[in-house]
Amino acid sequence: GPTLGASFVQAAQWRLVFFLYLPIALVSVQLGQTFLADSRESQRRPLPDLVGVVLLCAALSALALAIVEGRDWGWADVRVLVAFLLAAGLLPAFVLRSLWHPAPLLHLSLFQIRSFSVANAAAFVFSVSFYGQVLVGILFLTSVWHFSILAAALAITPTPVTAALVGPIAGQLSNRFGFRGIAVAGALTYAAGGLWLLIGTTAHVSSVATWLPAAPLLGIGLGICFPIPSAASGSALPPAPCALGGAVTRTARPGRRVTGPPPGLAG
């Protein structure tokens, strides 16, 4: 969790945090090979759209480059403008190619299923809010309240712990009462935690009075709003494209692009 990552940052360089994913990935691969059934279709299928892969990767890379470097290079800089133009041209080209290719990287027909489209839109909106809150929260704790990295990680730990406890309960409730009402309740709870921080947080340290009461509210919202869109989008799909639909939902959750350590983490 965040405390383990913070311990790595304080003990060594911040870049070593990314190696924490390696053993998790290896264990996941082994568990997948052990417990997941392999399904193969007998008929031959056309090769995946490799050109579409190149188009999408180039478009997203150009867009990320323009957004990340725009502040340093200047938004009117030729490099930034060219990157935006490339993204604006390559993304429609990818969409058009996906419409007619027999084995597209992204089956756009999935978005004709209303519940799938709504679930992915909800996942995108919530993820933008969540990742922004995590980044701003860490920067606030370390830069304004001058917490150490480990202390800041301990301060945000109640949120993921609460989310881990709430997630299974949210799944059971959604099976019983439906996805929509549970997801709305989770979003409102998460918003309440953010509003608590917005109103009560000042430059003066007040972890017990301000930060800690908001952490479980954020955790409850996170525990509901992260797994529910995935379940909702998958439940709307037939078995064949279910894995592809799950991949689309995970892609709809934009993570943070890290170009360097936050203030105080260099080294």
Side-chain angles (χ1 to χ4, degrees):
T3 307
L4 180 60
S7 302
F8 265 66
V9 169
Q10 288 206 211
Q13 292 188 350
W14 64 271
R15 296 172 181 84
L16 294 179
V17 172
F18 297 102
F19 287 98
L20 289 174
Y21 292 101
L22 183 58
I24 297 175
L26 293 175
V27 172
S28 299
V29 170
Q30 183 60 43
L31 291 176
Q33 292 177 342
T34 303
F35 296 104
L36 296 180
D38 190 10
S39 176
R40 298 181 183 272
E41 296 184 3
S42 57
Q43 68 271 27
R44 296 186 61 183
R45 303 185 63 186
L47 291 175
D49 182 16
L50 299 181
V51 175
V53 173
V54 174
L55 286 174
L56 182 60
C57 290
L60 295 181
S61 298
L63 181 61
L65 176 66
I67 294 174
V68 171
E69 300 296 349
R71 184 181 61 179
D72 295 331
W73 292 351
W75 296 108
D77 187 273
V78 174
R79 294 169 293 182
V80 175
L81 296 177
V82 169
F84 274 128
L85 288 174
L86 282 174
L90 293 176
L91 280 174
F94 167 75
V95 172
L96 290 174
R97 185 172 178 85
S98 297
L99 287 173
W100 62 262
H101 196 277
L105 177 65
L106 176 61
H107 290 266
L108 298 177
S109 59
L110 293 178
F111 292 97
Q112 295 177 355
I113 304 174
R114 184 176 180 274
S115 56
F116 179 81
S117 299
V118 171
N120 280 279
F124 177 81
V125 172
F126 178 78
S127 296
V128 169
S129 171
F130 167 67
Y131 288 119
Q133 186 273 325
V134 171
L135 177 60
V136 172
I138 289 292
L139 292 177
F140 178 83
L141 290 172
T142 56
S143 302
V144 179
W145 284 2
H146 302 292
F147 280 21
S148 67
I149 297 302
L150 185 57
L154 289 172
I156 68 171
T157 294
T159 296
V161 170
T162 304
L165 296 175
V166 169
I169 301 174
Q172 295 176 1
L173 291 176
S174 63
N175 289 334
R176 182 174 180 180
F177 300 106
F179 296 112
R180 182 182 303 176
I182 303 301
V184 170
L188 290 176
T189 305
Y190 190 86
L195 185 62
W196 183 286
L197 290 176
L198 178 64
I199 295 175
T201 305
T202 66
H204 302 287
V205 179
S206 56
S207 337
V208 175
T210 304
W211 195 271
L212 293 182
L217 292 175
L218 295 173
I220 293 172
L222 178 61
I224 295 174
C225 292
F226 237 62
I228 291 301
S230 298
S233 63
S235 65
L237 298 178
C242 192
L244 176 61
V248 172
T249 303
R250 284 186 290 273
T251 305
R253 294 172 174 159
R256 293 165 290 158
R257 183 182 184 274
V258 181
T259 56
L265 296 189

